[in-house]
């Protein structure tokens, strides 16, 4: 029993410790972000890596999420004749919750893990030390461009996901379930407000920051060779995913 | 030129450095020997400010770098080059880009001038013409030589070598030893070399220091080292396992 409590205490302390370290890394990245050189090319490279290469997977998830959302809602709404609300339901769910969250989770799986693996490899092969020895701050050179790219790209991907999700809902609702397209669109436009979309995008900015920061942090502090890189990658995905879901709850309760 | 005073460092209760005192003079090659995992790399990283000690001082020309802010340490680091254990080449860049990197970051030279310097440094390490290869295409020995070319790109005064010959075949080991000696003489560098290769050590060292249990147990020139009465030193030189030294 004492051992059990000890383990819990130890884990909690270590989690708090890591949150502190991450905050320090974020502050350090923030202060370095405004010191020239700006390394615009590095930022673009990371935007391409995080963004362009995630578009396909985001479109795929968006399409099917929107589709299944329409299908499920249809069976529920039919019981009380509320099928006309289908478009609005899909659009609201996508823009407020599913778009930002699913996009962030997909980007975590694809890019967050890759960031942790890349920085982790650079750490264990002493490439990060080599940067520092050459008088180049590794946080500025490696972490800052990735975080900026995450903040810029994840919202763009979210917009795509929102849009494709609504298209998916439209395909299922109008083409398969034969809902009147005019009503589908009219209800959607009536009920979705600009603030829904913007709050969703604000979330995705936070998630973009979160997943790149955690990926960088886990990679940056990798220890123990190739095995350590594997561990860092897994941890980055798990911690990012949980943080995104918890963060989503917190943001939803604050924003809406 | 470099002076370590009573340096202590632990990692999570693991005491790695336990009061290191060592002086390194300008223009000499000092080789620090000791067993694997004994803290040699950690010691080297203190000299260049990559790791901060728990207690003690690192003086570079009377400046205590343990007291400096990160930005001021960067200024001091421009005087250093370092060859890492596995060369630590950036694997996203070609050989040429690796060597050009410190030049592009810290000088205002044009692309042409940089390319000329890169070619010159590659020639220095006997690898002319491989600018466009990627590190993954190189053998271990070639990587180390490219790492050395990168380390001398900005003409440093001091070079730190972390196990420059570990894992290389005898011929490549001899080639790297020659390279270190040649570059040291030509550029009048101060070299701090970490090694557990005894043959190489006696070939290149002006001074040898032995790290044992977190302390420097002995320093001296190669001759006095060979004749040392210290059982730990003799044990290491003759390759006797540690537990036998302690019990005898
Ligand atoms: N950043 C670090 N965090 C925790 N432990 C470390 C760190 N760096 C080195 N160590 C530990 O310090 C000891 C000495 O390592 P090192 O200096 O690499 O030995 P070597 O003499 O082989 O170069 C090892 O036990 C290593 O695990
Ligand atoms: Mg080592």
């Amino acid at each position: 029993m004492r051992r059990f409590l000890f383990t819990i205490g130890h884990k909690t302390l270590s989690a708090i410790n890591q949150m502190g370290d991450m905050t320090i890394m974020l502050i350090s990245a923030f202060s370095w972000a405004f010191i020239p050189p700006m390394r615009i090319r590095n930022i673009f490279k990371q935007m391409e890596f995080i963004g362009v290469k995630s578009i396909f997977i985001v479109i795929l998830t968006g399409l099917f999420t929107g589709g299944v959302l329409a299908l499920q809602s249809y069976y529920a709404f039919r019981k009380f004749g509320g099928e006309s609300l289908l478009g609005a339901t899909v659009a609201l769910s996508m823009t407020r919750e599913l778009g930002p969250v699913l996009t962030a989770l997909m980007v975590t799986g694809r890019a967050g893990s890759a960031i942790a693996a890349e920085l982790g490899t650079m750490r264990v092969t002493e490439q990060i030390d080599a940067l520092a020895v050459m008088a180049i701050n590794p946080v500025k050179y490696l972490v800052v461009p990735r975080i900026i790219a995450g903040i810029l790209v994840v919202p763009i991907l979210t917009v795509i996901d929102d849009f494709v999700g609504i298209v998916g809902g439209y395909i299922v609702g109008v083409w398969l379930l034969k809902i009147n397209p005019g009503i589908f669109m009219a209800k959607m436009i009536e009920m979705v407000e600009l603030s829904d979309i913007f709050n969703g995008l604000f979330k995705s900015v936070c998630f973009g920051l979160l997943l790149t920061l955690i990926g960088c942090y886990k990679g940056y502090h990798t220890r123990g060779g190739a095995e350590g890189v594997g561990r860092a990658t897994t941890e980055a995905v798990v911690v990012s995913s949980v943080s995104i879901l918890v963060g989503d709850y917190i943001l939803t309760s604050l924003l809406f | 030129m470099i002076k370590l005073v009573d340096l202590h460092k632990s990692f999570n209760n693991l005491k790695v450095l336990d009061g290191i005192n060592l002086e390194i003079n300008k223009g000499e090659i000092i080789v620090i020997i000791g067993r694997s995992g004994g803290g040699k790399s950690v010691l080297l990283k203190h000299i260049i400010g990559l790791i901060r000690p728990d207690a003690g001082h690192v003086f570079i020309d009377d400046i205590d770098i343990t007291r400096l802010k990160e930005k001021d340490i960067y200024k001091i680091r421009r005087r250093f080059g370092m060859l890492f254990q596995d060369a630590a080449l950036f694997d996203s860049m070609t050989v040429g880009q690796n060597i050009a990197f410190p030049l592009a970051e810290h000088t205002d030279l044009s692309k042409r001038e940089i390319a000329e310097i890169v070619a010159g440094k590659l020639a220095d390490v006997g690898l002319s013409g491989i600018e466009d290869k990627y590190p993954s295409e190189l053998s271990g020995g070639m990587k180390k030589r490219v790492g050395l070319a990168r380390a001398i790109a900005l003409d440093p005064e001091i070079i730190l070598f972390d196990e420059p010959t570990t894992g290389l075949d005898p011929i490549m080991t001899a080639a790297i030893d020659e390279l270190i000696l040649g570059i040291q003489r030509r550029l009048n560098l101060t070299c701090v070399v970490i090694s557990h290769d005894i043959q190489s050590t006696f070939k290149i060292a002006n001074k040898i220091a032995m790290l044992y249990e977190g302390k420097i147990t002995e320093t001296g020139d190669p001759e006095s080292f060979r004749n040392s009465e210290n059982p730990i030193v003799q044990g290491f030189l003759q390759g006797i396992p540690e537990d036998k030294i302690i019990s005898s």
Side-chain angles (χ1 to χ4, degrees):
Chain A
M1 184 64 197
R2 253 179 79 183
R3 184 105 153 256
F4 176 72
L5 285 178
F6 184 80
T7 315
I8 296 224
H10 193 77
K11 285 245 149 80
T12 316
L13 277 183
S14 131
I16 293 174
N17 218 332
Q18 288 199 19
M19 279 202 263
D21 283 352
M22 261 184 241
T23 314
I24 291 171
M25 182 181 250
L26 181 61
I27 293 169
S28 155
F30 188 79
S31 56
W32 277 105
F34 299 100
I35 298 173
M38 286 316 195
R39 304 195 186 280
I40 304 288
R41 259 191 49 200
N42 270 5
I43 296 175
F44 275 117
K45 227 169 83 187
Q46 290 306 320
M47 286 177 71
E48 187 198 348
F49 176 74
I50 299 173
V52 177
K53 294 182 176 157
S54 300
I55 286 183
F56 178 71
I57 187 170
V58 162
I59 289 179
L60 210 61
T61 45
L63 204 59
F64 280 96
T65 312
V68 81
L69 211 54
L71 206 55
Q72 283 288 9
S73 318
Y74 177 77
Y75 292 123
F77 285 154
R78 201 177 46 178
K79 295 201 174 116
F80 54 90
E83 292 99 323
S84 62
L85 287 172
L86 206 61
T89 306
V90 170
L92 279 176
S93 313
M94 284 309 294
T95 51
R96 291 170 64 138
E97 292 297 335
L98 292 174
V101 170
L102 287 178
T103 305
L105 290 177
M106 296 321 282
V107 176
T108 297
R110 234 210 95 263
S113 60
I115 289 173
E118 191 183 357
L119 264 56
T121 305
M122 291 188 74
R123 165 61 73 195
V124 301
T125 57
E126 297 185 305
Q127 292 175 52
I128 292 184
D129 287 333
L131 278 175
V133 164
M134 287 184 235
I136 291 158
N137 184 286
V139 169
K140 172 154 181 62
Y141 190 78
L142 297 172
V143 177
V144 170
R146 283 171 174 78
I147 291 183
I148 292 180
I151 290 175
L152 295 177
V153 160
V154 175
I156 297 174
L157 290 172
T158 302
V159 170
I160 296 173
D161 195 64
D162 289 350
F163 177 76
V164 175
I166 291 168
V167 171
Y170 187 91
I171 292 174
V172 170
V174 174
W175 294 0
L176 298 181
L177 304 173
K178 309 291 180 209
I179 292 172
N180 182 312
I183 292 178
F184 185 98
M185 293 307 289
K187 279 284 175 198
M188 186 170 93
I189 291 165
E190 181 190 319
M191 297 190 62
V192 177
E193 292 182 23
L194 218 50
S195 69
D196 292 320
I197 296 170
F198 280 129
N199 286 344
L201 290 184
F202 177 74
K203 278 183 180 177
S204 69
V205 171
C206 298
F207 298 158
L209 170 74
L210 214 52
L211 76 93
T212 44
L213 176 66
I214 292 171
C216 287
Y217 173 83
K218 287 292 178 185
Y220 199 86
H221 293 282
T222 300
R223 284 190 34 74
E227 200 192 323
V229 176
R231 211 177 318 122
T233 310
T234 313
E235 281 178 18
V237 173
V238 173
V239 175
S240 297
S241 306
V242 172
S243 311
I244 285 166
L245 293 171
V246 173
D248 182 53
Y249 181 85
I250 296 172
L251 286 171
T252 300
S253 57
L254 292 179
L255 287 173
F256 294 107
Chain B
M1 151 159 254
I2 302 171
K3 199 167 146 194
L4 310 180
V5 181
D6 202 27
L7 221 49
H8 285 80
K9 182 73 188 179
S10 305
F11 293 109
N12 324 312
N13 304 328
L14 172 71
K15 211 180 255 174
V16 180
L17 304 183
D18 187 19
I20 299 277
N21 288 291
L22 188 63
E23 231 171 293
I24 299 166
N25 301 316
K26 193 170 166 57
E28 75 181 358
I29 300 183
I30 180 169
V31 180
I32 301 171
I33 57 175
R35 66 171 182 85
S36 287
K40 301 187 299 296
S41 298
V42 169
L43 175 58
L44 205 61
K45 286 177 183 173
H46 276 86
I47 296 179
I48 200 165
L50 280 177
I51 301 181
R52 297 215 182 223
D54 299 334
H57 309 275
V58 177
F59 292 98
I60 311 289
D61 284 343
D62 300 326
I63 303 169
D64 183 358
I65 64 165
T66 62
R67 293 291 139 87
L68 292 183
K69 279 197 232 122
E70 195 74 10
K71 284 201 186 94
D72 299 317
I73 290 184
Y74 283 159
K75 273 183 219 138
I76 303 256
R77 282 200 191 136
R78 302 269 206 94
R79 301 170 52 194
F80 281 87
M82 180 161 177
L83 176 58
F84 287 89
Q85 196 157 340
D86 293 305
L89 300 176
F90 302 123
D91 35 37
S92 58
M93 300 181 192
T94 64
V95 165
Q97 288 167 340
N98 262 284
I99 303 170
F101 187 74
L103 295 161
E105 290 294 327
H106 294 305
T107 66
D108 299 323
L109 298 171
S110 72
K111 278 217 167 96
R112 268 234 343 259
E113 290 166 314
I114 289 181
E116 264 166 38
I117 297 176
V118 169
K121 298 295 175 188
L122 273 175
D124 281 346
V125 298
L127 286 175
S128 288
I130 64 158
E131 279 92 338
D132 294 331
K133 284 205 190 310
Y134 278 90
S136 57
E137 303 170 66
L138 306 180
S139 72
M142 287 166 94
K143 275 188 201 167
K144 290 210 175 169
R145 287 196 274 170
V146 172
L148 182 55
R150 187 178 68 181
I152 57 173
L154 284 172
D155 298 321
E157 302 160 47
I158 308 159
I159 304 196
L160 311 180
F161 296 87
D162 194 350
E163 305 201 10
T165 58
T166 299
L168 300 182
D169 61 59
I171 296 170
M172 187 54 80
T173 299
I176 298 269
D177 288 342
E178 288 300 324
L179 210 54
I180 295 175
L181 282 171
I183 284 176
Q184 190 273 337
R185 281 195 200 119
R186 197 147 34 84
L187 308 173
N188 190 29
L189 300 170
T190 307
C191 295
V192 184
V193 184
I194 276 177
S195 182
H196 50 218
D197 179 337
I198 298 180
Q199 246 189 330
S200 293
T201 300
F202 280 106
K203 195 163 148 198
I204 62 175
N206 306 131
K207 187 158 100 184
I208 303 176
M210 171 139 184
L211 176 66
Y212 181 77
E213 307 263 284
K215 293 189 173 72
I216 300 290
T217 57
E218 179 140 345
T219 46
D221 56 41
E223 203 46 42
S224 73
F225 233 77
R226 225 189 285 265
N227 303 325
S228 165
E229 310 252 301
N230 186 336
I232 294 161
V233 171
Q234 282 306 327
F236 191 83
L237 295 186
Q238 291 159 27
I240 302 170
E242 255 169 45
D243 42 352
K244 292 221 175 99
I245 306 169
I246 310 292
S247 61
S248 68

